[in-house]
Amino acid sequence: MPLVRISVPAGKGEAFVKSVSEGVHDAMVATIDIPQADRFQVITEHAAGRLVIDPTYMDIERSEDAVIIQITMRSGRTVAKKRALYRAIADNLVARAGLRKEDIMIVLTENELIDWSFGNGEAQYVPE
């Protein structure tokens, strides 16, 4: 049930966007037990100057190709699973989209089951 927001620089092309999308999803399936069919992503392309990423924060050299991946998900995964997720996303995006590991920023936000409604104005995960 994660909701994933992926911000990429504009002009990278459909193949790049698809590679990033699939790479992130496949990493979640492999590392944090997400079902294959559980895919909710918002992918946004940003014109120059609209995706502001510090080029040297934490002594990591980032290029103009840097992307931001925000994952909102239910709380409860271990530190080991989260670290495995970060590694798998980075490995996938290097192999599939040609990104550098330095250009991949990932932010996880956790919440509880009551914080999700998949439609009909209901909290499907929390019984009445």
mmCIF file with all atom_site columns, all heavy atoms in Angstrom, residues 41-65:
data_model
loop_
_atom_site.group_PDB
_atom_site.id
_atom_site.type_symbol
_atom_site.label_atom_id
_atom_site.label_alt_id
_atom_site.label_comp_id
_atom_site.label_asym_id
_atom_site.label_entity_id
_atom_site.label_seq_id
_atom_site.pdbx_PDB_ins_code
_atom_site.Cartn_x
_atom_site.Cartn_y
_atom_site.Cartn_z
_atom_site.occupancy
_atom_site.B_iso_or_equiv
_atom_site.pdbx_formal_charge
_atom_site.auth_seq_id
_atom_site.auth_comp_id
_atom_site.auth_asym_id
_atom_site.auth_atom_id
_atom_site.pdbx_PDB_model_num
ATOM 1   N N   . GLN A 1 41 ? 1.802  5.201  -7.721  1.00 0.00 ? 41 GLN A N   1
ATOM 2   C CA  . GLN A 1 41 ? 2.918  6.110  -7.934  1.00 0.00 ? 41 GLN A CA  1
ATOM 3   C C   . GLN A 1 41 ? 2.428  7.409  -8.567  1.00 0.00 ? 41 GLN A C   1
ATOM 4   O O   . GLN A 1 41 ? 1.534  7.393  -9.415  1.00 0.00 ? 41 GLN A O   1
ATOM 5   C CB  . GLN A 1 41 ? 3.963  5.484  -8.862  1.00 0.00 ? 41 GLN A CB  1
ATOM 6   C CG  . GLN A 1 41 ? 4.616  4.235  -8.313  1.00 0.00 ? 41 GLN A CG  1
ATOM 7   C CD  . GLN A 1 41 ? 5.656  3.662  -9.269  1.00 0.00 ? 41 GLN A CD  1
ATOM 8   O OE1 . GLN A 1 41 ? 5.606  3.884  -10.475 1.00 0.00 ? 41 GLN A OE1 1
ATOM 9   N NE2 . GLN A 1 41 ? 6.595  2.935  -8.711  1.00 0.00 ? 41 GLN A NE2 1
ATOM 10  N N   . VAL A 1 42 ? 3.041  8.501  -8.143  1.00 0.00 ? 42 VAL A N   1
ATOM 11  C CA  . VAL A 1 42 ? 2.833  9.803  -8.757  1.00 0.00 ? 42 VAL A CA  1
ATOM 12  C C   . VAL A 1 42 ? 4.209  10.240 -9.256  1.00 0.00 ? 42 VAL A C   1
ATOM 13  O O   . VAL A 1 42 ? 5.127  10.423 -8.459  1.00 0.00 ? 42 VAL A O   1
ATOM 14  C CB  . VAL A 1 42 ? 2.281  10.835 -7.752  1.00 0.00 ? 42 VAL A CB  1
ATOM 15  C CG1 . VAL A 1 42 ? 2.123  12.192 -8.415  1.00 0.00 ? 42 VAL A CG1 1
ATOM 16  C CG2 . VAL A 1 42 ? 0.979  10.349 -7.143  1.00 0.00 ? 42 VAL A CG2 1
ATOM 17  N N   . ILE A 1 43 ? 4.339  10.351 -10.560 1.00 0.00 ? 43 ILE A N   1
ATOM 18  C CA  . ILE A 1 43 ? 5.632  10.700 -11.144 1.00 0.00 ? 43 ILE A CA  1
ATOM 19  C C   . ILE A 1 43 ? 5.516  12.093 -11.758 1.00 0.00 ? 43 ILE A C   1
ATOM 20  O O   . ILE A 1 43 ? 4.635  12.348 -12.571 1.00 0.00 ? 43 ILE A O   1
ATOM 21  C CB  . ILE A 1 43 ? 6.054  9.666  -12.201 1.00 0.00 ? 43 ILE A CB  1
ATOM 22  C CG1 . ILE A 1 43 ? 6.110  8.279  -11.551 1.00 0.00 ? 43 ILE A CG1 1
ATOM 23  C CG2 . ILE A 1 43 ? 7.392  10.056 -12.820 1.00 0.00 ? 43 ILE A CG2 1
ATOM 24  C CD1 . ILE A 1 43 ? 6.258  7.137  -12.524 1.00 0.00 ? 43 ILE A CD1 1
ATOM 25  N N   . THR A 1 44 ? 6.417  12.974 -11.337 1.00 0.00 ? 44 THR A N   1
ATOM 26  C CA  . THR A 1 44 ? 6.369  14.360 -11.767 1.00 0.00 ? 44 THR A CA  1
ATOM 27  C C   . THR A 1 44 ? 7.706  14.753 -12.388 1.00 0.00 ? 44 THR A C   1
ATOM 28  O O   . THR A 1 44 ? 8.759  14.502 -11.800 1.00 0.00 ? 44 THR A O   1
ATOM 29  C CB  . THR A 1 44 ? 6.080  15.283 -10.569 1.00 0.00 ? 44 THR A CB  1
ATOM 30  O OG1 . THR A 1 44 ? 4.943  14.800 -9.865  1.00 0.00 ? 44 THR A OG1 1
ATOM 31  C CG2 . THR A 1 44 ? 5.821  16.693 -11.023 1.00 0.00 ? 44 THR A CG2 1
ATOM 32  N N   . GLU A 1 45 ? 7.622  15.373 -13.571 1.00 0.00 ? 45 GLU A N   1
ATOM 33  C CA  . GLU A 1 45 ? 8.814  15.913 -14.200 1.00 0.00 ? 45 GLU A CA  1
ATOM 34  C C   . GLU A 1 45 ? 8.910  17.394 -13.856 1.00 0.00 ? 45 GLU A C   1
ATOM 35  O O   . GLU A 1 45 ? 7.900  18.098 -13.840 1.00 0.00 ? 45 GLU A O   1
ATOM 36  C CB  . GLU A 1 45 ? 8.745  15.736 -15.718 1.00 0.00 ? 45 GLU A CB  1
ATOM 37  C CG  . GLU A 1 45 ? 8.811  14.287 -16.159 1.00 0.00 ? 45 GLU A CG  1
ATOM 38  C CD  . GLU A 1 45 ? 8.858  14.175 -17.663 1.00 0.00 ? 45 GLU A CD  1
ATOM 39  O OE1 . GLU A 1 45 ? 9.958  14.352 -18.233 1.00 0.00 ? 45 GLU A OE1 1
ATOM 40  O OE2 . GLU A 1 45 ? 7.806  13.929 -18.263 1.00 0.00 ? 45 GLU A OE2 1
ATOM 41  N N   . HIS A 1 46 ? 10.112 17.848 -13.595 1.00 0.00 ? 46 HIS A N   1
ATOM 42  C CA  . HIS A 1 46 ? 10.322 19.230 -13.167 1.00 0.00 ? 46 HIS A CA  1
ATOM 43  C C   . HIS A 1 46 ? 11.282 19.944 -14.109 1.00 0.00 ? 46 HIS A C   1
ATOM 44  O O   . HIS A 1 46 ? 12.377 19.452 -14.376 1.00 0.00 ? 46 HIS A O   1
ATOM 45  C CB  . HIS A 1 46 ? 10.884 19.254 -11.744 1.00 0.00 ? 46 HIS A CB  1
ATOM 46  C CG  . HIS A 1 46 ? 9.968  18.622 -10.744 1.00 0.00 ? 46 HIS A CG  1
ATOM 47  N ND1 . HIS A 1 46 ? 8.988  19.332 -10.102 1.00 0.00 ? 46 HIS A ND1 1
ATOM 48  C CD2 . HIS A 1 46 ? 9.857  17.339 -10.325 1.00 0.00 ? 46 HIS A CD2 1
ATOM 49  C CE1 . HIS A 1 46 ? 8.323  18.513 -9.290  1.00 0.00 ? 46 HIS A CE1 1
ATOM 50  N NE2 . HIS A 1 46 ? 8.832  17.300 -9.418  1.00 0.00 ? 46 HIS A NE2 1
ATOM 51  N N   . ALA A 1 47 ? 10.867 21.125 -14.565 1.00 0.00 ? 47 ALA A N   1
ATOM 52  C CA  . ALA A 1 47 ? 11.717 21.959 -15.422 1.00 0.00 ? 47 ALA A CA  1
ATOM 53  C C   . ALA A 1 47 ? 12.933 22.432 -14.629 1.00 0.00 ? 47 ALA A C   1
ATOM 54  O O   . ALA A 1 47 ? 12.941 22.413 -13.393 1.00 0.00 ? 47 ALA A O   1
ATOM 55  C CB  . ALA A 1 47 ? 10.915 23.160 -15.919 1.00 0.00 ? 47 ALA A CB  1
ATOM 56  N N   . ALA A 1 48 ? 13.944 22.879 -15.337 1.00 0.00 ? 48 ALA A N   1
ATOM 57  C CA  . ALA A 1 48 ? 15.145 23.413 -14.693 1.00 0.00 ? 48 ALA A CA  1
ATOM 58  C C   . ALA A 1 48 ? 14.757 24.476 -13.669 1.00 0.00 ? 48 ALA A C   1
ATOM 59  O O   . ALA A 1 48 ? 13.910 25.331 -13.940 1.00 0.00 ? 48 ALA A O   1
ATOM 60  C CB  . ALA A 1 48 ? 16.076 24.005 -15.750 1.00 0.00 ? 48 ALA A CB  1
ATOM 61  N N   . GLY A 1 49 ? 15.334 24.390 -12.488 1.00 0.00 ? 49 GLY A N   1
ATOM 62  C CA  . GLY A 1 49 ? 15.043 25.338 -11.425 1.00 0.00 ? 49 GLY A CA  1
ATOM 63  C C   . GLY A 1 49 ? 13.840 24.984 -10.581 1.00 0.00 ? 49 GLY A C   1
ATOM 64  O O   . GLY A 1 49 ? 13.547 25.664 -9.597  1.00 0.00 ? 49 GLY A O   1
ATOM 65  N N   . ARG A 1 50 ? 13.108 23.927 -10.934 1.00 0.00 ? 50 ARG A N   1
ATOM 66  C CA  . ARG A 1 50 ? 11.914 23.524 -10.189 1.00 0.00 ? 50 ARG A CA  1
ATOM 67  C C   . ARG A 1 50 ? 12.115 22.247 -9.375  1.00 0.00 ? 50 ARG A C   1
ATOM 68  O O   . ARG A 1 50 ? 11.229 21.812 -8.658  1.00 0.00 ? 50 ARG A O   1
ATOM 69  C CB  . ARG A 1 50 ? 10.731 23.319 -11.142 1.00 0.00 ? 50 ARG A CB  1
ATOM 70  C CG  . ARG A 1 50 ? 10.363 24.548 -11.925 1.00 0.00 ? 50 ARG A CG  1
ATOM 71  C CD  . ARG A 1 50 ? 9.755  25.587 -11.017 1.00 0.00 ? 50 ARG A CD  1
ATOM 72  N NE  . ARG A 1 50 ? 9.217  26.675 -11.795 1.00 0.00 ? 50 ARG A NE  1
ATOM 73  C CZ  . ARG A 1 50 ? 9.431  27.937 -11.509 1.00 0.00 ? 50 ARG A CZ  1
ATOM 74  N NH1 . ARG A 1 50 ? 10.160 28.275 -10.487 1.00 0.00 ? 50 ARG A NH1 1
ATOM 75  N NH2 . ARG A 1 50 ? 8.905  28.880 -12.257 1.00 0.00 ? 50 ARG A NH2 1
ATOM 76  N N   . LEU A 1 51 ? 13.271 21.644 -9.510  1.00 0.00 ? 51 LEU A N   1
ATOM 77  C CA  . LEU A 1 51 ? 13.660 20.503 -8.685  1.00 0.00 ? 51 LEU A CA  1
ATOM 78  C C   . LEU A 1 51 ? 14.994 20.896 -8.060  1.00 0.00 ? 51 LEU A C   1
ATOM 79  O O   . LEU A 1 51 ? 16.056 20.771 -8.671  1.00 0.00 ? 51 LEU A O   1
ATOM 80  C CB  . LEU A 1 51 ? 13.789 19.231 -9.534  1.00 0.00 ? 51 LEU A CB  1
ATOM 81  C CG  . LEU A 1 51 ? 14.129 17.935 -8.807  1.00 0.00 ? 51 LEU A CG  1
ATOM 82  C CD1 . LEU A 1 51 ? 13.086 17.619 -7.736  1.00 0.00 ? 51 LEU A CD1 1
ATOM 83  C CD2 . LEU A 1 51 ? 14.217 16.774 -9.794  1.00 0.00 ? 51 LEU A CD2 1
ATOM 84  N N   . VAL A 1 52 ? 14.912 21.446 -6.863  1.00 0.00 ? 52 VAL A N   1
ATOM 85  C CA  . VAL A 1 52 ? 16.085 22.022 -6.213  1.00 0.00 ? 52 VAL A CA  1
ATOM 86  C C   . VAL A 1 52 ? 16.672 20.991 -5.257  1.00 0.00 ? 52 VAL A C   1
ATOM 87  O O   . VAL A 1 52 ? 16.037 20.590 -4.289  1.00 0.00 ? 52 VAL A O   1
ATOM 88  C CB  . VAL A 1 52 ? 15.713 23.319 -5.461  1.00 0.00 ? 52 VAL A CB  1
ATOM 89  C CG1 . VAL A 1 52 ? 16.928 23.912 -4.769  1.00 0.00 ? 52 VAL A CG1 1
ATOM 90  C CG2 . VAL A 1 52 ? 15.068 24.323 -6.420  1.00 0.00 ? 52 VAL A CG2 1
ATOM 91  N N   . ILE A 1 53 ? 17.874 20.558 -5.573  1.00 0.00 ? 53 ILE A N   1
ATOM 92  C CA  . ILE A 1 53 ? 18.568 19.546 -4.776  1.00 0.00 ? 53 ILE A CA  1
ATOM 93  C C   . ILE A 1 53 ? 19.985 20.050 -4.545  1.00 0.00 ? 53 ILE A C   1
ATOM 94  O O   . ILE A 1 53 ? 20.738 20.269 -5.501  1.00 0.00 ? 53 ILE A O   1
ATOM 95  C CB  . ILE A 1 53 ? 18.600 18.182 -5.515  1.00 0.00 ? 53 ILE A CB  1
ATOM 96  C CG1 . ILE A 1 53 ? 17.168 17.713 -5.804  1.00 0.00 ? 53 ILE A CG1 1
ATOM 97  C CG2 . ILE A 1 53 ? 19.367 17.153 -4.714  1.00 0.00 ? 53 ILE A CG2 1
ATOM 98  C CD1 . ILE A 1 53 ? 17.093 16.481 -6.688  1.00 0.00 ? 53 ILE A CD1 1
ATOM 99  N N   . ASP A 1 54 ? 20.357 20.213 -3.296  1.00 0.00 ? 54 ASP A N   1
ATOM 100 C CA  . ASP A 1 54 ? 21.690 20.713 -2.989  1.00 0.00 ? 54 ASP A CA  1
ATOM 101 C C   . ASP A 1 54 ? 22.737 19.801 -3.637  1.00 0.00 ? 54 ASP A C   1
ATOM 102 O O   . ASP A 1 54 ? 22.709 18.591 -3.441  1.00 0.00 ? 54 ASP A O   1
ATOM 103 C CB  . ASP A 1 54 ? 21.901 20.768 -1.472  1.00 0.00 ? 54 ASP A CB  1
ATOM 104 C CG  . ASP A 1 54 ? 23.182 21.469 -1.113  1.00 0.00 ? 54 ASP A CG  1
ATOM 105 O OD1 . ASP A 1 54 ? 24.266 20.877 -1.345  1.00 0.00 ? 54 ASP A OD1 1
ATOM 106 O OD2 . ASP A 1 54 ? 23.124 22.599 -0.613  1.00 0.00 ? 54 ASP A OD2 1
ATOM 107 N N   . PRO A 1 55 ? 23.661 20.374 -4.404  1.00 0.00 ? 55 PRO A N   1
ATOM 108 C CA  . PRO A 1 55 ? 24.604 19.538 -5.151  1.00 0.00 ? 55 PRO A CA  1
ATOM 109 C C   . PRO A 1 55 ? 25.707 18.890 -4.323  1.00 0.00 ? 55 PRO A C   1
ATOM 110 O O   . PRO A 1 55 ? 26.399 18.006 -4.822  1.00 0.00 ? 55 PRO A O   1
ATOM 111 C CB  . PRO A 1 55 ? 25.204 20.512 -6.169  1.00 0.00 ? 55 PRO A CB  1
ATOM 112 C CG  . PRO A 1 55 ? 25.058 21.853 -5.547  1.00 0.00 ? 55 PRO A CG  1
ATOM 113 C CD  . PRO A 1 55 ? 23.793 21.786 -4.719  1.00 0.00 ? 55 PRO A CD  1
ATOM 114 N N   . THR A 1 56 ? 25.868 19.300 -3.053  1.00 0.00 ? 56 THR A N   1
ATOM 115 C CA  . THR A 1 56 ? 26.965 18.732 -2.253  1.00 0.00 ? 56 THR A CA  1
ATOM 116 C C   . THR A 1 56 ? 26.575 18.408 -0.813  1.00 0.00 ? 56 THR A C   1
ATOM 117 O O   . THR A 1 56 ? 27.446 18.143 0.013   1.00 0.00 ? 56 THR A O   1
ATOM 118 C CB  . THR A 1 56 ? 28.162 19.697 -2.217  1.00 0.00 ? 56 THR A CB  1
ATOM 119 O OG1 . THR A 1 56 ? 27.744 20.952 -1.656  1.00 0.00 ? 56 THR A OG1 1
ATOM 120 C CG2 . THR A 1 56 ? 28.734 19.909 -3.613  1.00 0.00 ? 56 THR A CG2 1
ATOM 121 N N   . TYR A 1 57 ? 25.286 18.417 -0.478  1.00 0.00 ? 57 TYR A N   1
ATOM 122 C CA  . TYR A 1 57 ? 24.873 18.163 0.905   1.00 0.00 ? 57 TYR A CA  1
ATOM 123 C C   . TYR A 1 57 ? 25.388 16.804 1.373   1.00 0.00 ? 57 TYR A C   1
ATOM 124 O O   . TYR A 1 57 ? 25.322 15.819 0.642   1.00 0.00 ? 57 TYR A O   1
ATOM 125 C CB  . TYR A 1 57 ? 23.346 18.226 1.018   1.00 0.00 ? 57 TYR A CB  1
ATOM 126 C CG  . TYR A 1 57 ? 22.849 18.090 2.435   1.00 0.00 ? 57 TYR A CG  1
ATOM 127 C CD1 . TYR A 1 57 ? 23.022 19.115 3.352   1.00 0.00 ? 57 TYR A CD1 1
ATOM 128 C CD2 . TYR A 1 57 ? 22.225 16.925 2.853   1.00 0.00 ? 57 TYR A CD2 1
ATOM 129 C CE1 . TYR A 1 57 ? 22.573 19.002 4.651   1.00 0.00 ? 57 TYR A CE1 1
ATOM 130 C CE2 . TYR A 1 57 ? 21.771 16.789 4.155   1.00 0.00 ? 57 TYR A CE2 1
ATOM 131 C CZ  . TYR A 1 57 ? 21.951 17.834 5.049   1.00 0.00 ? 57 TYR A CZ  1
ATOM 132 O OH  . TYR A 1 57 ? 21.506 17.711 6.350   1.00 0.00 ? 57 TYR A OH  1
ATOM 133 N N   . MET A 1 58 ? 25.892 16.743 2.593   1.00 0.00 ? 58 MET A N   1
ATOM 134 C CA  . MET A 1 58 ? 26.471 15.547 3.214   1.00 0.00 ? 58 MET A CA  1
ATOM 135 C C   . MET A 1 58 ? 27.668 15.022 2.418   1.00 0.00 ? 58 MET A C   1
ATOM 136 O O   . MET A 1 58 ? 27.960 13.829 2.414   1.00 0.00 ? 58 MET A O   1
ATOM 137 C CB  . MET A 1 58 ? 25.424 14.455 3.421   1.00 0.00 ? 58 MET A CB  1
ATOM 138 C CG  . MET A 1 58 ? 24.258 14.952 4.220   1.00 0.00 ? 58 MET A CG  1
ATOM 139 S SD  . MET A 1 58 ? 23.548 13.962 5.517   1.00 0.00 ? 58 MET A SD  1
ATOM 140 C CE  . MET A 1 58 ? 24.788 13.027 6.265   1.00 0.00 ? 58 MET A CE  1
ATOM 141 N N   . ASP A 1 59 ? 28.362 15.937 1.733   1.00 0.00 ? 59 ASP A N   1
ATOM 142 C CA  . ASP A 1 59 ? 29.552 15.610 0.944   1.00 0.00 ? 59 ASP A CA  1
ATOM 143 C C   . ASP A 1 59 ? 29.287 14.572 -0.146  1.00 0.00 ? 59 ASP A C   1
ATOM 144 O O   . ASP A 1 59 ? 30.156 13.758 -0.477  1.00 0.00 ? 59 ASP A O   1
ATOM 145 C CB  . ASP A 1 59 ? 30.705 15.146 1.848   1.00 0.00 ? 59 ASP A CB  1
ATOM 146 C CG  . ASP A 1 59 ? 31.182 16.248 2.774   1.00 0.00 ? 59 ASP A CG  1
ATOM 147 O OD1 . ASP A 1 59 ? 31.212 17.429 2.329   1.00 0.00 ? 59 ASP A OD1 1
ATOM 148 O OD2 . ASP A 1 59 ? 31.511 15.956 3.935   1.00 0.00 ? 59 ASP A OD2 1
ATOM 149 N N   . ILE A 1 60 ? 28.076 14.605 -0.687  1.00 0.00 ? 60 ILE A N   1
ATOM 150 C CA  . ILE A 1 60 ? 27.716 13.741 -1.812  1.00 0.00 ? 60 ILE A CA  1
ATOM 151 C C   . ILE A 1 60 ? 27.595 14.642 -3.039  1.00 0.00 ? 60 ILE A C   1
ATOM 152 O O   . ILE A 1 60 ? 26.810 15.587 -3.035  1.00 0.00 ? 60 ILE A O   1
ATOM 153 C CB  . ILE A 1 60 ? 26.400 12.990 -1.539  1.00 0.00 ? 60 ILE A CB  1
ATOM 154 C CG1 . ILE A 1 60 ? 26.542 12.105 -0.299  1.00 0.00 ? 60 ILE A CG1 1
ATOM 155 C CG2 . ILE A 1 60 ? 25.985 12.170 -2.755  1.00 0.00 ? 60 ILE A CG2 1
ATOM 156 C CD1 . ILE A 1 60 ? 25.232 11.518 0.190   1.00 0.00 ? 60 ILE A CD1 1
ATOM 157 N N   . GLU A 1 61 ? 28.358 14.354 -4.069  1.00 0.00 ? 61 GLU A N   1
ATOM 158 C CA  . GLU A 1 61 ? 28.362 15.154 -5.297  1.00 0.00 ? 61 GLU A CA  1
ATOM 159 C C   . GLU A 1 61 ? 27.205 14.735 -6.198  1.00 0.00 ? 61 GLU A C   1
ATOM 160 O O   . GLU A 1 61 ? 27.219 13.637 -6.753  1.00 0.00 ? 61 GLU A O   1
ATOM 161 C CB  . GLU A 1 61 ? 29.690 14.989 -6.034  1.00 0.00 ? 61 GLU A CB  1
ATOM 162 C CG  . GLU A 1 61 ? 30.893 15.494 -5.263  1.00 0.00 ? 61 GLU A CG  1
ATOM 163 C CD  . GLU A 1 61 ? 30.949 17.006 -5.147  1.00 0.00 ? 61 GLU A CD  1
ATOM 164 O OE1 . GLU A 1 61 ? 30.470 17.701 -6.065  1.00 0.00 ? 61 GLU A OE1 1
ATOM 165 O OE2 . GLU A 1 61 ? 31.468 17.490 -4.125  1.00 0.00 ? 61 GLU A OE2 1
ATOM 166 N N   . ARG A 1 62 ? 26.196 15.610 -6.323  1.00 0.00 ? 62 ARG A N   1
ATOM 167 C CA  . ARG A 1 62 ? 25.021 15.321 -7.150  1.00 0.00 ? 62 ARG A CA  1
ATOM 168 C C   . ARG A 1 62 ? 25.099 16.065 -8.472  1.00 0.00 ? 62 ARG A C   1
ATOM 169 O O   . ARG A 1 62 ? 25.637 17.158 -8.533  1.00 0.00 ? 62 ARG A O   1
ATOM 170 C CB  . ARG A 1 62 ? 23.759 15.731 -6.398  1.00 0.00 ? 62 ARG A CB  1
ATOM 171 C CG  . ARG A 1 62 ? 23.498 14.868 -5.184  1.00 0.00 ? 62 ARG A CG  1
ATOM 172 C CD  . ARG A 1 62 ? 22.355 15.422 -4.323  1.00 0.00 ? 62 ARG A CD  1
ATOM 173 N NE  . ARG A 1 62 ? 22.421 14.767 -3.029  1.00 0.00 ? 62 ARG A NE  1
ATOM 174 C CZ  . ARG A 1 62 ? 23.227 15.152 -2.052  1.00 0.00 ? 62 ARG A CZ  1
ATOM 175 N NH1 . ARG A 1 62 ? 23.986 16.211 -2.183  1.00 0.00 ? 62 ARG A NH1 1
ATOM 176 N NH2 . ARG A 1 62 ? 23.250 14.479 -0.921  1.00 0.00 ? 62 ARG A NH2 1
ATOM 177 N N   . SER A 1 63 ? 24.498 15.460 -9.487  1.00 0.00 ? 63 SER A N   1
ATOM 178 C CA  . SER A 1 63 ? 24.480 16.085 -10.810 1.00 0.00 ? 63 SER A CA  1
ATOM 179 C C   . SER A 1 63 ? 23.094 16.657 -11.094 1.00 0.00 ? 63 SER A C   1
ATOM 180 O O   . SER A 1 63 ? 22.171 16.556 -10.276 1.00 0.00 ? 63 SER A O   1
ATOM 181 C CB  . SER A 1 63 ? 24.846 15.044 -11.876 1.00 0.00 ? 63 SER A CB  1
ATOM 182 O OG  . SER A 1 63 ? 23.754 14.172 -12.113 1.00 0.00 ? 63 SER A OG  1
ATOM 183 N N   . GLU A 1 64 ? 22.926 17.207 -12.263 1.00 0.00 ? 64 GLU A N   1
ATOM 184 C CA  . GLU A 1 64 ? 21.637 17.749 -12.712 1.00 0.00 ? 64 GLU A CA  1
ATOM 185 C C   . GLU A 1 64 ? 20.606 16.638 -12.939 1.00 0.00 ? 64 GLU A C   1
ATOM 186 O O   . GLU A 1 64 ? 19.428 16.922 -13.118 1.00 0.00 ? 64 GLU A O   1
ATOM 187 C CB  . GLU A 1 64 ? 21.836 18.532 -14.015 1.00 0.00 ? 64 GLU A CB  1
ATOM 188 C CG  . GLU A 1 64 ? 22.841 19.653 -13.904 1.00 0.00 ? 64 GLU A CG  1
ATOM 189 C CD  . GLU A 1 64 ? 22.182 20.987 -13.699 1.00 0.00 ? 64 GLU A CD  1
ATOM 190 O OE1 . GLU A 1 64 ? 21.071 21.194 -14.216 1.00 0.00 ? 64 GLU A OE1 1
ATOM 191 O OE2 . GLU A 1 64 ? 22.786 21.838 -13.015 1.00 0.00 ? 64 GLU A OE2 1
ATOM 192 N N   . ASP A 1 65 ? 21.033 15.386 -12.938 1.00 0.00 ? 65 ASP A N   1
ATOM 193 C CA  . ASP A 1 65 ? 20.140 14.252 -13.162 1.00 0.00 ? 65 ASP A CA  1
ATOM 194 C C   . ASP A 1 65 ? 19.514 13.712 -11.876 1.00 0.00 ? 65 ASP A C   1
ATOM 195 O O   . ASP A 1 65 ? 18.772 12.729 -11.921 1.00 0.00 ? 65 ASP A O   1
ATOM 196 C CB  . ASP A 1 65 ? 20.900 13.111 -13.856 1.00 0.00 ? 65 ASP A CB  1
ATOM 197 C CG  . ASP A 1 65 ? 21.318 13.470 -15.255 1.00 0.00 ? 65 ASP A CG  1
ATOM 198 O OD1 . ASP A 1 65 ? 20.606 14.267 -15.912 1.00 0.00 ? 65 ASP A OD1 1
ATOM 199 O OD2 . ASP A 1 65 ? 22.357 12.958 -15.708 1.00 0.00 ? 65 ASP A OD2 1
#
